[in-house]
Amino acid sequence: MATIKRSLQFLFGAEKIGYLRNIRKVYCKNDSLACISSLDSEGRCFVLGAADYGNLGDIAISYAQERFLSSFFHDVFEIQTGHFWEHYRALKKRIRSSDLIVLQGGGNMGDLYEWFEIERCEIISLFPNNPIIIFPQTIDYRQTDRLLLQYSQKTYAKHGRTLHIAAREQRSYVKMKAIYSNNDVVVVPDIVLSLGKDKLFSEAKETAQNKILLCIRNDHEKADLTHQLTEVDQYALLHGIPIGRTDTVIDTGYIPMNKRYEYLSELVRNFRSARLVVTDRLHGMVIAALAGVPCLALSNSNGKVEGVYQWLDSEPNYVRFAGGGVSVTPIIEELLRLGMQSRDVYPADHINSQFAPLTSIIGSLS
């Protein structure tokens, strides 16, 4: 039955099925987007699908996107994920063909997080005349059932070269170029890496304690880290260093836009309270790098941590990646000797220069 429903969804179009499934939301009488009329007549940007849930990595992406786009546009208007259909009529009424639509970056392009890919396809289908940019993403299709992949390929192709897709690592770039050959595909860093000069990190005042902080995932993106984490435990026990535990995913159902900074600030302070962060979370590594905290980054199941690490491989030296089977004890010793870094050590100018393909696209559209 589930396969039949999926087939029908892709046969008739995700946007048509989405419309019917959300018909009550579509026809609610509250027009909460009347303020769009007061936005600048030129240079308008709409971010659709921004994060509003307890994954602080995705919240950091939404925060970074807004900061990045604000340097190009006077008005950046956001609709958070899951709220598209209740604003659909207002958006169709007020978005002009010259307006830029930006879709959330992250690691949800694929069948691991099918709902996000379907929402993305709905939006692309419903705004065929607008330039659209998918912010830096990882692509990961795993299922033998290729219906979603084929559907997204067909949907993206219809939009042609006015659909711009940014990959955040080389592996995804190669796959996207092959799958979405009708579209414009570029490769740039994860957008959170653009926050090197942001006040989020300059205002974080926290003294490092004598502890190692583990930020390890426990979901379907988890790799087998048994031996490496055992090494961490043994090193900490031998040298009398306490181990703390945290995560970039927290138990909260909704994070409004005006609370992003508060949640992210707390995460940064938490990281800066440790001498070393050990993580297999991509944004665990990224936040540590931006905060100047020595970080041992480990593999996850789809290689995105290693892929994004390549942007940091030459510098800074306080972030190190250890692939599966690599002994981490000597890396731990080296990182602990380095200690907390000044925020000036993060190579912000160098990293920001790597966003040139994306800034070029936005510049041509703003």
Side-chain angles (χ1 to χ4, degrees):
M1 182 61 70
T3 302
I4 294 174
K5 287 182 178 180
R6 281 166 52 83
S7 299
L8 289 174
Q9 183 176 43
F10 301 145
L11 176 64
F12 291 106
E15 75 284 1
K16 296 183 182 68
I17 301 299
Y19 182 90
L20 293 173
R21 290 178 61 185
N22 293 277
I23 197 73
R24 290 184 179 179
K25 290 182 180 179
V26 171
Y27 286 97
C28 65
K29 294 183 179 180
N30 179 31
D31 184 358
S32 60
L33 302 186
C35 60
I36 293 177
S37 300
S38 66
L39 298 182
D40 278 357
S41 58
E42 296 181 0
R44 306 194 309 176
C45 177
F46 294 81
V47 179
L48 306 183
D52 64 356
Y53 43 89
N55 185 322
L56 296 182
D58 289 354
I59 293 296
I61 288 173
S62 292
Y63 176 81
Q65 286 173 169
E66 191 276 330
R67 303 287 288 177
F68 193 89
L69 291 165
S70 291
S71 64
F72 296 89
F73 298 93
H74 183 267
D75 292 304
V76 178
F77 195 90
E78 292 188 39
I79 299 294
Q80 292 178 298
T81 189
H83 296 275
F84 171 72
W85 285 110
E86 64 197 74
H87 299 298
Y88 168 65
R89 286 200 303 158
L91 289 168
K92 287 294 286 186
K93 178 181 177 181
R94 292 185 168 88
I95 289 182
R96 300 188 297 262
S97 60
S98 59
D99 293 332
L100 173 63
I101 293 174
V102 168
L103 303 182
Q104 170 89 4
N108 55 36
M109 182 180 282
D111 51 24
L112 279 176
Y113 305 99
E114 182 176 296
W115 187 89
F116 290 101
E117 183 60 36
I118 290 173
E119 181 182 62
R120 197 157 31 241
C121 286
E122 290 172 346
I123 293 169
I124 291 170
S125 295
L126 290 165
F127 294 94
N129 299 317
N130 287 83
I132 297 177
I133 302 176
I134 300 176
F135 258 45
Q137 274 276 354
T138 292
I139 189 168
D140 188 21
Y141 280 91
R142 301 186 181 189
Q143 297 177 6
T144 54
D145 172 10
R146 297 174 61 84
L147 284 175
L148 179 61
L149 174 58
Q150 292 168 352
Y151 182 73
S152 74
Q153 192 174 27
K154 178 181 176 182
T155 302
Y156 288 25
K158 286 181 179 178
H159 212 88
R161 306 294 290 182
T162 55
L163 174 58
H164 308 273
I165 309 171
R168 63 182 180 181
E169 1 84 14
Q170 191 65 28
R171 168 188 163 279
S172 287
Y173 174 68
V174 171
K175 288 189 174 183
M176 290 176 186
K177 287 282 284 185
I179 296 170
Y180 305 118
S181 57
N182 283 37
N183 309 118
D184 177 38
V185 181
V186 298
V187 58
V188 296
D190 181 275
I191 196 63
V192 181
L193 286 169
S194 69
L195 293 174
K197 298 182 179 181
D198 195 82
K199 63 180 181 178
L200 183 64
F201 301 95
S202 61
E203 291 182 354
K205 308 296 183 184
E206 194 73 28
T207 302
Q209 303 168 20
N210 184 35
K211 72 175 180 181
I212 294 173
L213 188 62
L214 296 184
C215 181
I216 303 297
R217 67 190 317 140
N218 187 27
D219 58 19
H220 50 259
E221 286 191 48
K222 182 178 178 62
D224 184 1
L225 305 176
T226 304
H227 295 299
Q228 290 174 319
L229 293 178
T230 297
E231 278 192 68
V232 175
D233 288 339
Q234 290 175 342
Y235 185 92
L237 181 63
L238 180 63
H239 293 84
I241 304 176
I243 290 181
R245 286 174 170 79
T246 191
D247 202 346
T248 56
V249 173
I250 60 175
D251 186 20
T252 183
Y254 175 65
I255 297 178
M257 287 182 277
N258 63 358
K259 293 291 184 180
R260 285 175 186 160
Y261 189 87
E262 178 182 327
Y263 278 93
L264 293 173
S265 292
E266 184 177 350
L267 177 64
V268 172
R269 289 194 298 270
N270 191 15
F271 272 36
R272 287 184 64 88
S273 71
R275 292 178 61 196
L276 172 67
V277 169
V278 178
T279 185
D280 62 347
R281 290 277 188 189
L282 188 155
H283 289 104
M285 174 184 71
V286 169
I287 295 297
L290 289 162
V293 182
C295 176
L296 169 59
L298 304 175
S299 299
N300 78 310
S301 65
N302 64 13
K304 67 184 181 183
V305 177
E306 182 177 11
V308 172
Y309 172 74
Q310 298 306 314
W311 299 104
L312 300 167
D313 193 11
S314 58
E315 53 177 332
N317 66 348
Y318 58 89
V319 179
R320 297 282 302 278
F321 175 80
V326 175
S327 174
V328 299
T329 300
I331 302 175
I332 293 172
E333 291 176 337
E334 179 183 346
L335 290 173
L336 287 173
R337 282 196 299 269
L338 287 174
M340 186 70 70
Q341 302 290 299
S342 162
R343 69 184 300 264
D344 298 327
V345 176
Y346 178 78
D349 291 335
H350 170 70
I351 294 294
N352 288 344
S353 71
Q354 305 304 306
F355 287 98
L358 184 58
T359 58
S360 178
I361 293 169
I362 297 173
S364 69
L365 299 172
S366 58

